[in-house]
Amino acid sequence: MFYLTAFPSVLARPITSLLRRDGYPSGTLLTMGRNFAPRWVVGGSRARKLAGIEHLADRMPNVRWVLLGDDGGHDPQVFVDFACRRRDRLAVIGLRQVFDVGRSKIDLSSRADEIVGAALVGAPNGEELLPLVRAALGIGQPREGSVADWFLSEFERGNAATRLRAWTEGNAVRPLVHGHVYYDALARVLAAAGDGDSVQFVGWRGDADELLAEGGPTVVEALSGAAGRGARVRGLLWHAHTGAVGSQVGPNRMLALAVGKAGGEVLLDQRVLPFGCHHQKMVIVRHPGRPRDDVAFVGGIDLDHGSRDDADHRGDRQSVGADRVYGPNPAYHDVQLELQGPVVREAEETFRERWQNPAAVSRLPWHVVPDRIHGLPRTASPLPPASPAPPATGTCSVQLLRTYPRRRPRYPYAPSGERSIALAYTKALGRAEQLIYIEDQYLWSFDVARIFAAALQRSSRLHVIAVVPRRPDNENQFYNEAAMLGHGEALAMVREAGGDRVQVLDVENLQGLPVYVHSKLCVVDDAWAAVGSDNFNTRSWTHDSELTVAVLDTERDQRAPTDPGGLGDGARRFARELRLTLMREHLDLDEDDDLLDPTGAAETVRKSAAELDAWHDGGCHGPRPAGRLRSHPIGKEGKLPARHRWLTAPIYRSFLDPDGRPLDMRLRRTY
């Protein structure tokens, strides 16, 4: 490994320190010259770099070279010049794309295709570039099938300040599909919490009167009941900036006051970026005397109106406002995970890190004054020492992933922010070979879609099945038009990369009304699965606080195909069963026979959606075909009116889907 720079030798030490700090592999740094003369102005650095590469080639005549650089300077021309002179000595040219990340190929010059051909690859950052270089070299992905092939290491997380472990093993993970199932499980757990136990929760919105079961209890009754029996109830709810941009202000304040009167403590937390929010959704219940019963619930479901729907998708009778296309009682599709085992301690640590943040929960006067008038707590009471991690109780390795932006005052647990969700998806999608199944509320960001597009371009047998809402769930038409701008842009990019290997669908119930897809999950090659609060957009990956659970089950599913990705990972029980459960519901199937093989599953979905579309197009005559998936109307309902583009696009990128990365990361296009 050699690092070649046009900077003089006097800067060798600081450059080496920067390479080490950013995690580059160890290697030899070669500098050009001894003074600071700006030779790059007249192209001198190009000639000196080429001379340096050729000198290395002369020293090692039997080596074929992988040349890595970026397209922001002379690197493309230097590499092509080397290829012209020593074509047989070149293996791959890999370029980090500084300027145009939308191009699938980099046009270096009119002769580049003749010289470089398929050995030329490009991506916006190193994480996305590595799989492309591997593929160009023909060495493929690592085939160990180990946890480290999928999960981030502590270093890869990029946040040395957190107390979280890289991952835990021996966990039991159960998917709770639909709010009705989750609320039923949560109500039972809260009813069993009593003296000496702890209940900790974080949320975006909480409605005190939301029913956890038909006939009760409500959210506030369940939490207050636990506090009344002696459990230590603590919570963090987002404090929306103003009522004008967040309808959560009133409900969250009401829930905080009610739980406080029962002996609990709930803070309204506004320690976010401007126009940001706390979007994590989690409840943890711990029992010091019976740790095997410790449990955490993490996913996309809040304790709010509209979430208690079931598989029939007739909606929660305590509904919320939404686009009128969803009808008077909107149906919601969502997923939460129930976690038991050592990961519960990690979930609690995530809560403790936020709870113990010494910064004021809000400094905005229109927050401070009403909070004081209502008697809401503004400082967190001390927490007792955490109990040890619960014992192993299952077969799943679990990694908790978060998003925190860099802000001031800085988070003590993430002073430079954390973007492990984005990094984990980049790593997992870089290993995808045959099927990516996703469900997401907001698949609408160009930078996120780019990672899916790169995976499709890398693997010609890869299919993507994406289940999304038909429309945003907002009553504001301008908001919807702005949202559909990013949504259409992102999906167009993925479709262009994968052609008919990409299927984008939405869901309807048996009454023909669209179902709002609120779930946020991904399954890759029936091996790796992730469920959480984050959406596939720039806001969730960089700007707001988010929490996601990645799962890799050690138990293999022995049904054929036993190794869908072909990399030795095998089909893992949890990931495969999660995908099959969701697809069976969407397709109205009782058996898995047509869904086990990824290619067969893609064809089954395509056929089912086509039949239902044809039935609707034909006036809904005759028996309704089985299945609930419809082709997503990209370019129809999702097309932004031309008269709004000049205003909508800047507002969308600034407010609806802002980028929370530090400037240097934005420039390097990395997370």
Side-chain angles (χ1 to χ4, degrees), residues 303-465:
L303 306 177
D304 62 345
H305 289 161
S307 292
R308 195 171 68 90
D309 201 356
D310 58 23
D312 290 335
H313 289 310
R314 296 179 181 271
D316 183 347
R317 64 183 177 87
Q318 294 175 281
S319 61
V320 294
D323 189 293
R324 60 178 178 269
V325 72
Y326 292 102
N329 199 37
Y332 269 61
H333 172 77
D334 216 334
V335 178
Q336 197 87 347
L337 294 184
E338 179 186 80
L339 308 172
Q340 290 186 285
V343 68
V344 176
R345 175 67 183 85
E346 303 301 295
E348 182 184 13
E349 191 59 53
T350 293
F351 175 85
R352 284 174 170 266
E353 286 182 341
R354 282 186 56 189
W355 184 265
Q356 294 169 344
N357 183 355
V361 290
S362 177
R363 290 187 171 91
L364 301 176
W366 54 89
H367 284 170
V368 175
V369 173
D371 288 353
R372 292 193 183 281
I373 291 174
H374 287 91
L376 283 172
R378 293 187 47 79
T379 57
S381 62
L383 295 174
S387 301
T393 186
T395 61
C396 292
S397 297
V398 175
Q399 181 167 63
L400 294 189
L401 307 165
R402 292 99 58 89
T403 297
Y404 291 117
R406 187 172 73 177
R407 67 180 294 272
R408 293 189 182 277
R410 296 189 175 192
Y411 297 124
Y413 47 86
S416 297
E418 180 178 326
R419 290 154 292 275
S420 55
I421 293 174
L423 292 168
Y425 272 110
T426 301
K427 184 171 185 175
L429 296 182
R431 195 170 172 81
E433 291 291 335
Q434 196 157 15
L435 178 62
I436 300 171
Y437 176 82
I438 60 177
E439 294 185 0
D440 193 63
Q441 177 187 11
Y442 293 136
L443 178 53
W444 63 5
S445 287
F446 182 87
D447 278 347
V448 175
R450 187 191 70 235
I451 299 174
F452 287 89
L456 287 161
Q457 292 163 350
R458 173 182 51 78
S459 176
S460 60
R461 63 191 185 114
L462 180 63
H463 291 264
V464 172
I465 299 174

Side-chain angles (χ1 to χ4, degrees), residues 60 84 172 264 310 380 406 436 442 520 535 609 661:
M60 291 175 277
C84 287
D310 58 23
R406 187 172 73 177
I436 300 171
Y442 293 136
K520 307 106 169 45
N535 293 293
R661 288 176 292 181

Side-chain angles (χ1 to χ4, degrees), residues 17-33:
S17 298
L18 288 173
L19 292 172
R20 188 180 302 114
R21 183 203 68 180
D22 290 342
Y24 284 86
S26 60
T28 302
L29 178 67
L30 302 177
T31 58
M32 299 286 105

Side-chain angles (χ1 to χ4, degrees), residues 452-594:
F452 287 89
L456 287 161
Q457 292 163 350
R458 173 182 51 78
S459 176
S460 60
R461 63 191 185 114
L462 180 63
H463 291 264
V464 172
I465 299 174
V467 181
V468 299
R470 188 167 299 176
R471 295 277 296 175
D473 65 335
N474 199 291
E475 296 175 290
N476 186 295
Q477 187 62 25
F478 184 81
Y479 173 96
N480 290 345
E481 290 177 349
M484 295 308 292
L485 167 69
H487 184 61
E489 181 183 58
L491 293 185
M493 183 181 191
V494 177
R495 283 184 175 277
E496 182 181 2
D500 61 4
R501 291 181 289 130
V502 176
Q503 297 184 68
V504 185
L505 311 122
D506 52 54
V507 186
E508 67 179 29
N509 61 20
L510 296 181
Q511 289 70 46
L513 288 174
V515 175
Y516 189 76
V517 177
H518 191 262
S519 47
K520 307 106 169 45
L521 63 91
C522 179
V523 180
V524 178
D525 287 340
D526 285 354
W528 180 90
V531 179
S533 68
D534 73 290
N535 293 293
F536 289 110
N537 60 11
T538 303
R539 172 183 282 277
S540 279
W541 282 16
T542 68
H543 193 272
D544 296 341
S545 73
E546 303 282 4
L547 178 62
T548 288
V549 177
V551 182
L552 192 71
D553 200 337
T554 58
E555 183 178 339
R556 306 289 181 105
D557 188 317
Q558 298 303 322
R559 293 174 292 179
T562 57
D563 187 20
L567 298 178
D569 298 297
R572 307 300 179 105
R573 181 189 58 80
F574 175 84
R576 172 170 276 180
E577 194 53 46
L578 175 62
R579 177 180 69 84
L580 294 176
T581 297
L582 296 168
M583 294 185 76
R584 284 196 305 267
E585 177 187 313
H586 295 326
L587 297 171
D588 286 328
L589 293 176
D590 297 322
E591 304 294 334
D592 299 328
D593 296 349
D594 296 331

Side-chain angles (χ1 to χ4, degrees), residues 224-280:
S224 298
R229 292 187 297 273
R232 187 180 67 254
V233 178
R234 301 290 184 267
L236 290 164
L237 294 172
W238 176 44
H239 203 322
H241 301 276
T242 69
V245 298
S247 59
Q248 298 78 6
V249 175
N252 287 358
R253 180 179 290 139
M254 185 181 302
L255 180 58
L257 288 170
V259 173
K261 289 179 181 178
E265 183 178 352
V266 179
L267 301 180
L268 300 188
D269 188 357
Q270 208 268 332
R271 293 169 289 196
V272 295
L273 290 178
F275 301 104
C277 72
H278 285 300
H279 200 241
Q280 297 173 339

